[in-house]
Short mmCIF file of all heavy atoms in Angstrom, two decimals:
data_model
loop_
_atom_site.label_atom_id
_atom_site.label_comp_id
_atom_site.label_asym_id
_atom_site.label_seq_id
_atom_site.Cartn_x
_atom_site.Cartn_y
_atom_site.Cartn_z
N GLU A 997 55.43 56.88 -10.44
CA GLU A 997 56.46 57.58 -11.12
C GLU A 997 56.17 57.71 -12.61
O GLU A 997 56.45 58.79 -13.23
CB GLU A 997 57.81 56.78 -10.92
CG GLU A 997 58.37 56.86 -9.53
CD GLU A 997 59.55 55.91 -9.33
OE1 GLU A 997 59.81 55.16 -10.28
OE2 GLU A 997 60.17 55.93 -8.21
N LEU A 998 55.57 56.74 -13.24
CA LEU A 998 55.26 56.76 -14.67
C LEU A 998 53.91 57.38 -14.94
O LEU A 998 53.49 57.52 -16.13
CB LEU A 998 55.31 55.30 -15.20
CG LEU A 998 56.68 54.61 -15.18
CD1 LEU A 998 56.54 53.15 -15.62
CD2 LEU A 998 57.70 55.33 -15.97
N LYS A 999 53.18 57.72 -13.81
CA LYS A 999 51.81 58.33 -13.95
C LYS A 999 50.91 57.44 -14.73
O LYS A 999 50.18 57.90 -15.65
CB LYS A 999 51.90 59.70 -14.56
CG LYS A 999 52.80 60.62 -13.72
CD LYS A 999 52.81 62.10 -14.27
CE LYS A 999 53.74 63.02 -13.44
NZ LYS A 999 53.54 62.99 -12.03
N LEU A 1000 50.90 56.16 -14.48
CA LEU A 1000 50.04 55.18 -15.12
C LEU A 1000 48.82 54.95 -14.24
O LEU A 1000 48.79 55.29 -13.09
CB LEU A 1000 50.76 53.88 -15.37
CG LEU A 1000 52.05 53.99 -16.26
CD1 LEU A 1000 52.73 52.59 -16.34
CD2 LEU A 1000 51.62 54.40 -17.69
N ASP A 1001 47.78 54.25 -14.84
CA ASP A 1001 46.57 53.95 -14.15
C ASP A 1001 46.88 52.77 -13.22
O ASP A 1001 47.32 51.70 -13.58
CB ASP A 1001 45.49 53.53 -15.10
CG ASP A 1001 44.13 53.34 -14.46
OD1 ASP A 1001 44.03 53.38 -13.27
OD2 ASP A 1001 43.19 53.11 -15.18
N ARG A 1002 46.58 52.97 -11.90
CA ARG A 1002 46.83 51.92 -10.92
C ARG A 1002 46.03 50.64 -11.15
O ARG A 1002 46.57 49.50 -10.78
CB ARG A 1002 46.57 52.51 -9.50
CG ARG A 1002 46.99 51.49 -8.38
CD ARG A 1002 46.76 52.24 -6.99
NE ARG A 1002 47.53 53.39 -6.88
CZ ARG A 1002 48.84 53.36 -6.48
NH1 ARG A 1002 49.44 52.18 -6.12
NH2 ARG A 1002 49.53 54.51 -6.40
N SER A 1003 44.95 50.79 -11.82
CA SER A 1003 44.11 49.59 -12.09
C SER A 1003 44.89 48.60 -12.98
O SER A 1003 44.46 47.39 -13.03
CB SER A 1003 42.77 49.99 -12.76
OG SER A 1003 43.03 50.55 -14.05
N MET A 1004 45.94 49.04 -13.61
CA MET A 1004 46.69 48.22 -14.55
C MET A 1004 47.26 47.09 -13.77
O MET A 1004 47.42 45.91 -14.33
CB MET A 1004 47.83 49.06 -15.23
CG MET A 1004 48.73 48.33 -16.17
SD MET A 1004 49.93 49.31 -16.92
CE MET A 1004 51.35 48.89 -15.89
N ILE A 1005 47.72 47.26 -12.53
CA ILE A 1005 48.27 46.15 -11.74
C ILE A 1005 47.22 45.65 -10.70
O ILE A 1005 47.29 44.49 -10.38
CB ILE A 1005 49.57 46.56 -11.06
CG1 ILE A 1005 49.36 47.77 -10.10
CG2 ILE A 1005 50.64 46.90 -12.10
CD1 ILE A 1005 50.58 48.08 -9.22
N ALA A 1006 46.34 46.53 -10.18
CA ALA A 1006 45.38 46.09 -9.19
C ALA A 1006 44.47 45.01 -9.79
O ALA A 1006 44.19 44.04 -9.09
CB ALA A 1006 44.59 47.27 -8.81
N SER A 1007 44.06 45.18 -10.99
CA SER A 1007 43.17 44.14 -11.61
C SER A 1007 43.89 42.79 -11.77
O SER A 1007 43.23 41.75 -11.75
CB SER A 1007 42.75 44.64 -13.00
OG SER A 1007 43.82 44.86 -13.84
N MET A 1008 45.19 42.85 -11.93
CA MET A 1008 45.87 41.52 -11.99
C MET A 1008 45.85 40.73 -10.69
O MET A 1008 45.94 39.46 -10.77
CB MET A 1008 47.44 41.84 -12.37
CG MET A 1008 47.59 42.51 -13.69
SD MET A 1008 49.30 43.07 -13.98
CE MET A 1008 50.23 41.48 -13.96
N MET A 1009 45.74 41.40 -9.56
CA MET A 1009 45.74 40.72 -8.32
C MET A 1009 44.46 39.84 -8.15
O MET A 1009 44.44 39.00 -7.33
CB MET A 1009 45.84 41.70 -7.17
CG MET A 1009 47.15 42.44 -7.18
SD MET A 1009 48.58 41.37 -7.08
CE MET A 1009 48.56 40.84 -5.40
N PHE A 1010 43.45 40.13 -8.87
CA PHE A 1010 42.19 39.36 -8.75
C PHE A 1010 42.39 37.94 -9.20
O PHE A 1010 41.54 37.03 -8.96
CB PHE A 1010 41.00 40.04 -9.53
CG PHE A 1010 40.73 41.47 -9.01
CD1 PHE A 1010 40.57 42.49 -9.90
CD2 PHE A 1010 40.62 41.71 -7.65
CE1 PHE A 1010 40.38 43.74 -9.52
CE2 PHE A 1010 40.39 42.96 -7.16
CZ PHE A 1010 40.19 43.97 -8.06
N SER A 1011 43.39 37.64 -10.02
CA SER A 1011 43.73 36.26 -10.43
C SER A 1011 44.42 35.46 -9.33
O SER A 1011 44.44 34.21 -9.45
CB SER A 1011 44.55 36.29 -11.68
OG SER A 1011 45.88 36.84 -11.35
N LEU A 1012 44.86 36.17 -8.32
CA LEU A 1012 45.67 35.49 -7.24
C LEU A 1012 44.90 34.35 -6.54
O LEU A 1012 45.48 33.23 -6.43
CB LEU A 1012 46.15 36.51 -6.22
CG LEU A 1012 47.14 35.99 -5.15
CD1 LEU A 1012 48.30 35.26 -5.84
CD2 LEU A 1012 47.64 37.16 -4.40
N PRO A 1013 43.69 34.53 -5.99
CA PRO A 1013 43.01 33.42 -5.32
C PRO A 1013 42.71 32.21 -6.22
O PRO A 1013 42.89 31.16 -5.82
CB PRO A 1013 41.69 33.98 -4.82
CG PRO A 1013 41.51 35.30 -5.56
CD PRO A 1013 42.89 35.76 -5.96
N ILE A 1014 42.35 32.52 -7.52
CA ILE A 1014 42.12 31.41 -8.44
C ILE A 1014 43.37 30.66 -8.71
O ILE A 1014 43.47 29.43 -8.68
CB ILE A 1014 41.56 31.98 -9.74
CG1 ILE A 1014 40.17 32.60 -9.47
CG2 ILE A 1014 41.36 30.90 -10.79
CD1 ILE A 1014 39.59 33.31 -10.64
N LEU A 1015 44.49 31.39 -8.91
CA LEU A 1015 45.78 30.74 -9.26
C LEU A 1015 46.23 29.98 -8.04
O LEU A 1015 46.81 28.87 -8.17
CB LEU A 1015 46.81 31.86 -9.59
CG LEU A 1015 48.20 31.35 -10.03
CD1 LEU A 1015 48.07 30.43 -11.25
CD2 LEU A 1015 49.10 32.47 -10.34
N SER A 1016 46.07 30.52 -6.84
CA SER A 1016 46.49 29.83 -5.62
C SER A 1016 45.76 28.47 -5.45
O SER A 1016 46.41 27.44 -5.09
CB SER A 1016 46.19 30.72 -4.38
OG SER A 1016 46.93 31.92 -4.46
N VAL A 1017 44.47 28.48 -5.67
CA VAL A 1017 43.69 27.30 -5.54
C VAL A 1017 44.10 26.31 -6.60
O VAL A 1017 44.19 24.94 -6.34
CB VAL A 1017 42.17 27.56 -5.66
CG1 VAL A 1017 41.38 26.32 -5.73
CG2 VAL A 1017 41.75 28.31 -4.41
#
Side-chain angles (χ1 to χ4, degrees):
E997 292 171 353
L998 298 173
K999 301 186 185 305
L1000 299 173
D1001 187 353
R1002 189 174 296 275
S1003 64
M1004 183 179 97
I1005 60 170
S1007 59
M1008 296 171 65
M1009 296 303 289
F1010 299 132
S1011 65
L1012 186 53
I1014 297 175
L1015 185 59
S1016 297
V1017 171

